[in-house]
Amino acid sequence: MSFDLSVISSKNIILAVTGGIAAYKSAIIVRRLKDYGFDVRVVMTHGAQAFITPLTFQALSGNPVHTELLNPEAEAGMGHIELARWADLILVAPASCDSIAKFAAGLADDLLSTLYLATKAPVWIAPAMNQQMWAAKATQRNLNTLVDDGVHVIMPDAGSQACGDVGLGRMPEPEDIAYQVMQYFHKAQRAIAEKFGQLAGQRVVITAGPTREAIDPVRYISNHSTGKMGFSIAAACYAAGAQVTLLAGPVSLDTPNGVRRINVSSALQMLDQSMLQLEAGCDIFIATAAVADYRVAEVAEHKIKKSGDELAISLVKNPDIVATIAEQQKRPFMVGFAAETRNVEAYAAAKLVAKKLDMIACNDVSRPDIGFASDQNAMTVFFADQYQLDKRDLEKASKQDIAQQLVEAIHDARLQHQPAGRNAHLDVSALDT
């Protein structure tokens, strides 16, 4: 499952490391948080420095490590206040029995305990200690106090411990801890998107990838579409607050986070699923799939054996999915795509009119830098309203960036343009053919 990491690229994490053998795992946490795009600063207690050096964390985080409460180099010597204001989340991993007790009692005799009291950011702790210390009534009482105060506790794992005991108290794997932090920010971003996003509450159906039209049980007709653009648009629509259903042809891509995926193979299967989604409720239909124009008239029941120098196969025309959806009584906002090799804008504008779409995005797939398999794209978008065609150019960028711009274009079109619907009288004569 993939995530849009851009939503956390500006988030600041303080990783606080306390004394305990699990401190070595904290180095991996820093690395994983950095991989996700977080800016990480490390705070170490004196006990932590007995197990691992500040230099390790400085090298991994790319930031100076904070160890002292009163820092002469910080503004007015109040480094803990600066850090407290900087953080979007404070993660204490490992959280020793002593640090948990200090937090619960409200002590402030070192940098970490003072930072805990001075921040408005969420505080997460990942306790790590001997199994008997974890089970002690005082520890459990302190933990209950922290939970009541709003601290999020990442529960320890059970297993063998460095002291030889077996039981609860092991810090979870660093990859799991970093992943939970990443998910937290994605869920928060999603909640905002569902309320304030450009497509908040909208039901979006997207077709993506190629279709395969069977010749016999082992052969088929298809095209070079990879589905990358459609999947990027699905992720962008979800990030904008939409409920997204992705009708995916046969592609090797991970399903975007939060997106409902339905796999199809042929054009007829994609049409059937499109109609089902329309009946279930659809506000915006985005047709990015490269649907085969023709299918084999009669699919062979068994593999066709090689015989002779030529093989004739009869083809019949597939139904036009986007035009079929556009003609329905419960018509959603229709977005088409045109992948052309010449006269790109003219063909796209004509397609917009002929298929009675509200918006179409077109690109020149003959260009090797933005073709089917490329991670980049460049597009021209046409909007239809009652009397004219409007145009917007999307300069070459990553397909993720293009997808976000297309979401903005859909939002703008629905706000500012009178949908063309069944109006087929738009003037496209000014475009070169």
Side-chain angles (χ1 to χ4, degrees):
M1 183 174 289
S2 62
F3 289 87
D4 176 13
L5 300 182
S6 64
V7 300
I8 58 177
S9 60
S10 61
K11 298 300 182 182
N12 302 323
I13 306 294
I14 289 178
L15 175 64
V17 185
T18 68
I21 190 62
Y24 78 93
K25 292 184 177 181
S26 301
I28 304 174
I29 295 177
V30 173
R31 189 65 173 266
R32 295 296 171 260
L33 291 174
K34 293 287 289 183
D35 288 343
Y36 285 131
F38 292 107
D39 191 1
V40 182
R41 296 188 182 182
V42 177
V43 168
M44 299 182 71
T45 65
H46 290 169
Q49 295 173 64
F51 291 92
I52 191 168
T53 67
L55 183 61
T56 298
F57 289 110
Q58 180 173 317
L60 291 172
S61 69
N63 288 315
V65 175
H66 305 269
T67 59
E68 300 298 331
L69 173 58
L70 300 176
N71 181 4
E73 297 180 0
E75 182 181 350
M78 303 296 285
H80 60 288
I81 301 299
E82 296 172 28
L83 277 174
R85 292 171 178 168
W86 178 84
D88 292 305
L89 184 143
I90 296 177
L91 170 63
V92 187
S96 66
C97 190
D98 179 66
S99 63
I100 291 171
K102 284 184 177 181
F103 295 162
L107 297 179
D109 62 350
D110 63 4
L111 174 57
L112 176 56
S113 57
T114 305
L115 187 64
Y116 172 78
L117 294 177
T119 190
K120 293 182 180 180
V123 176
W124 289 25
I125 63 172
M129 63 193 72
N130 167 267
Q131 57 88 22
Q132 187 56 51
M133 295 175 69
W134 168 258
K137 291 183 179 179
T139 301
Q140 293 302 310
R141 186 167 58 247
N142 290 335
L143 283 166
N144 288 334
T145 296
L146 295 186
V147 170
D148 289 341
D149 289 344
V151 173
H152 176 72
V153 179
I154 301 174
M155 296 296 289
D157 291 338
S160 60
Q161 300 182 319
C163 61
D165 286 357
V166 177
L168 282 172
R170 289 169 53 93
M171 190 172 84
E173 293 306 309
E175 293 85 358
D176 294 338
I177 293 174
Y179 185 79
Q180 288 185 45
V181 173
M182 184 269 290
Q183 279 194 316
Y184 166 78
F185 282 101
H186 272 282
K187 288 178 180 178
Q189 182 70 22
R190 177 62 180 170
I192 295 172
E194 287 181 337
K195 189 171 184 179
F196 302 109
Q198 291 175 316
L199 301 182
Q202 296 297 295
R203 296 164 298 181
V204 177
V205 176
I206 301 171
T207 66
T211 62
R212 289 178 179 174
E213 309 304 325
I215 298 173
D216 62 22
V218 298
R219 301 180 180 93
Y220 56 82
I221 299 171
S222 191
N223 56 62
H224 294 296
S225 174
T226 62
K228 289 181 179 180
M229 193 69 250
F231 275 59
S232 295
I233 293 172
C237 288
Y238 176 78
Q243 301 174 30
V244 183
T245 299
L246 178 62
L247 307 182
V251 296
S252 300
L253 296 172
D254 291 333
T255 305
N257 181 47
V259 171
R260 178 187 176 218
R261 177 176 179 172
I262 299 174
N263 291 323
V264 299
S265 182
S266 68
L268 293 179
Q269 290 174 354
M270 186 169 283
L271 175 60
D272 289 343
Q273 281 296 329
S274 296
M275 294 300 292
L276 287 174
Q277 298 309 314
L278 185 64
E279 292 174 8
C282 173
D283 301 303
I284 302 170
F285 189 92
I286 305 175
T288 73
V291 181
D293 292 325
Y294 294 88
R295 68 183 185 277
V296 176
E298 294 186 13
V299 179
E301 183 178 356
H302 300 288
K303 178 182 176 182
I304 300 172
K305 296 299 182 180
K306 182 167 59 176
S307 61
D309 295 331
E310 295 182 357
L311 175 66
I313 298 176
S314 178
L315 302 178
V316 295
K317 193 173 184 179
N318 270 323
D320 190 315
I321 295 175
V322 69
T324 301
I325 299 297
E327 290 174 350
Q328 301 303 306
Q329 185 173 4
K330 293 182 178 179
R331 181 185 184 281
F333 184 87
M334 297 298 303
V335 182
F337 275 69
E340 303 289 350
T341 58
R342 59 190 178 93
N343 299 332
V344 176
E345 294 189 10
Y347 285 146
K351 183 177 179 179
L352 175 77
V353 174
K355 299 190 179 184
K356 303 171 185 176
L357 307 179
D358 301 302
M359 174 177 154
I360 194 165
C362 59
N363 64 326
D364 184 350
V365 293
S366 68
R367 288 176 53 179
D369 57 333
I370 60 169
F372 279 122
S374 175
D375 290 326
Q376 295 188 309
N377 212 339
M379 288 190 161
T380 299
V381 179
F382 290 103
F383 308 94
D385 63 25
Q386 191 171 0
Y387 303 109
Q388 63 183 1
L389 284 170
D390 286 341
K391 173 183 170 183
R392 180 182 299 184
D393 291 319
L394 308 183
E395 299 298 330
K396 181 180 174 181
S398 70
K399 287 186 175 177
Q400 290 80 7
D401 287 341
I402 293 291
Q404 292 174 6
Q405 293 181 60
L406 285 170
V407 167
E408 294 173 3
I410 292 169
H411 173 261
D412 293 346
R414 299 184 76 208
L415 284 180
Q416 301 174 13
H417 295 263
Q418 175 69 33
R422 296 172 178 79
N423 185 343
H425 303 292
L426 300 177
D427 183 11
V428 298
S429 60
L431 295 169
D432 294 333
T433 57

